[in-house]
Amino acid sequence: GTADALEVSFSGGTGTPSYQWFSNNSNNNTGGTPIAGATNNTYTPEVFNTVGTFYFYAEISLNGDGCSTALSDAFEITVISDPVIDVQPIATQELCQNSTPTALSVTVSGGATSDKTYQWYANTTNSNTGGTPIPSANSSQYTPTTDNVGEFYYYVVISQTESDCSVTSAISILKVNEAPEFTKQPTSSEICLNGAASPLEVAYDKGTGTPAYQWFNNTTNSNSGGTAIAGETSSTYTPPTNNVGEIFYYAVISFSSGGCSEIVSNTASVNVKPQITIAPIAAPQTLCVGGTADALEVSFSGGTGTP
């Protein structure tokens, strides 16, 4: 810190004054060490880089006949340690857009007895200098926003009224990702009873955190209100085909961290048809030699696909 200028003035005596400032290790105005070049009525000590108590005094001499030398009282300057951040803000967090972040918070000790003031800064680079002050972010805690996608940097400067009593926190990095979205939806199909069904599959992009999958079945074409299928917790699911009827399936993906909302796939219909059944053929025909038979015809029910 830099002390305010020390100043002496006097009355009485005659002649032109000369000044000499002294530093001392004790609170008295004798036995000090002259400070080179400190020969004015004011003196500003150099920046203090050591904790402790320092004393200064001035000697004033007049060149008038018979004038004695006068000594000022000792000036006392106490130099204390800077405040210390005991708890730094969270180093990094990765979140989904519009989720709720962990508040940035610091705990400070030491420094002067005066009140501490806080100012949080946002920066475009990974540095705790050169940032932009955040309006109204003036307490030991600050909660950033996640409105915008990108990587953001925050730090706080804690200051006191005493000269250079301040400390700057480490950088806290906030990475905001776009919300997750499906890149592959499950596909509907028709299949014969006990046929080999094509697996249903989902895939997604963006978001953050480790995904967890859960497949559901439903009796209606809706991706809510279904029943969770036990054990079906991967990105693919092969539905059963041992019962005739139409069942609707969908997947829910949730995330272990980052505040991402779960996402729900579209429904996929799996329609299990009865196996093919041939309709009864026409009655037997009796013809004479050279006669022409009526057309023979077959028809069927059940099954699926193009015959």
Side-chain angles (χ1 to χ4, degrees):
T2 301
D4 295 335
L6 311 180
E7 183 177 4
V8 290
S9 61
F10 69 94
S11 61
T14 184
T16 302
S18 60
Y19 301 88
Q20 178 60 60
W21 288 87
F22 294 80
S23 62
N24 211 351
N25 295 323
S26 59
N27 189 11
N28 60 64
N29 60 0
T30 59
T33 301
I35 302 170
T39 55
N40 296 311
N41 70 314
T42 62
Y43 168 64
T44 302
E46 295 181 355
V47 171
F48 291 90
N49 295 312
T50 305
V51 172
T53 302
F54 302 86
Y55 301 95
F56 301 90
Y57 63 92
E59 180 183 75
I60 307 173
S61 302
L62 293 170
N63 63 1
D65 289 341
C67 291
S68 61
T69 298
L71 296 171
S72 74
D73 291 337
F75 293 85
E76 180 180 291
I77 297 176
T78 301
V79 180
I80 60 175
S81 299
D82 287 324
V84 175
I85 297 178
D86 300 310
V87 178
Q88 294 279 359
I90 182 172
T92 182
Q93 54 184 319
E94 187 172 357
L95 303 169
C96 275
Q97 189 175 16
N98 296 319
S99 62
T100 302
T102 299
L104 312 182
S105 180
V106 291
T107 302
V108 185
S109 63
T113 57
S114 60
D115 291 338
K116 294 176 175 64
T117 61
Y118 300 81
Q119 178 60 64
W120 288 89
Y121 292 79
N123 213 347
T124 55
T125 60
N126 188 1
S127 172
N128 62 357
T129 61
T132 301
I134 302 170
S136 301
N138 306 120
S139 72
S140 61
Q141 181 171 296
Y142 169 66
T143 303
T145 65
T146 57
D147 298 342
N148 298 311
V149 172
E151 190 163 283
F152 306 92
Y153 307 92
Y154 299 95
Y155 64 93
V156 64
V157 175
I158 302 100
S159 303
Q160 297 185 271
T161 56
E162 290 77 11
S163 175
D164 211 45
C165 275
S166 67
V167 63
T168 301
S169 76
I171 281 287
S172 178
I173 303 173
L174 171 63
K175 185 176 182 181
V176 181
N177 298 316
E178 293 183 78
E181 59 185 16
F182 282 98
T183 57
K184 185 178 183 66
Q185 296 278 3
T187 303
S188 297
S189 63
E190 286 188 344
I191 192 166
C192 285
L193 183 67
N194 294 318
S198 298
L200 305 176
E201 184 177 3
V202 292
Y204 78 97
D205 189 20
K206 303 172 184 174
T208 186
T210 303
Y213 300 86
Q214 178 63 61
W215 286 91
F216 292 79
N217 59 28
N218 210 348
T219 55
T220 61
N221 188 10
S222 172
N223 62 356
S224 65
T227 301
I229 304 170
E232 297 304 329
T233 54
S234 71
S235 60
T236 60
Y237 168 59
T238 302
T241 60
N242 57 342
N243 290 301
V244 171
E246 184 176 32
I247 300 294
F248 300 92
Y249 298 93
Y250 62 93
V252 175
I253 306 177
S254 56
F255 299 86
S256 60
S257 61
C260 297
S261 299
E262 64 181 23
I263 54 175
V264 183
S265 76
N266 297 336
T267 58
S269 163
V270 177
N271 196 352
V272 178
K273 300 285 190 177
Q275 287 287 351
I276 187 171
T277 301
I278 303 296
I281 61 173
Q285 300 180 49
T286 302
L287 306 176
C288 288
V289 174
T292 301
D294 295 334
L296 308 180
E297 182 179 5
V298 291
S299 62
F300 71 94
S301 61
T304 183
T306 302

